[in-house]
Amino acid sequence: MNQPSRLVVVGASAAGLTAAEALRRKGFTGALTMVGEEPRLPYDRPPLSKQILRGS
């Protein structure tokens, strides 16, 4: 099967960023477009609340 040359990830939240990162890790080299309502570019949001609950 041919790999698409471009993909659109709908949602620029943590899930969207995780999806885009996974695509790159799996070897996707095409264009990635992220669509979201956030006023800034996507960024990695670490799960701070879970770390605090675990005592980290």
Side-chain angles (χ1 to χ4, degrees), residues 8-31:
V8 175
V9 176
V10 178
S13 64
L17 179 61
T18 300
E21 289 173 339
L23 285 164
R24 292 294 187 212
R25 275 194 308 277
K26 296 288 184 179
F28 180 72
T29 59

Side-chain angles (χ1 to χ4, degrees), residues 1 3-4 6 11-12 14 19-20 25-26 30 32 35-36 38 41 44:
M1 178 173 3
Q3 188 180 73
R6 63 182 59 168
R25 275 194 308 277
K26 296 288 184 179
L32 276 175
V35 178
E38 291 79 2
L41 293 174
D44 191 12

Side-chain angles (χ1 to χ4, degrees), residues 2 11 22 34 40 42 56:
N2 292 337
M34 295 185 77
R40 293 183 220 119
S56 309

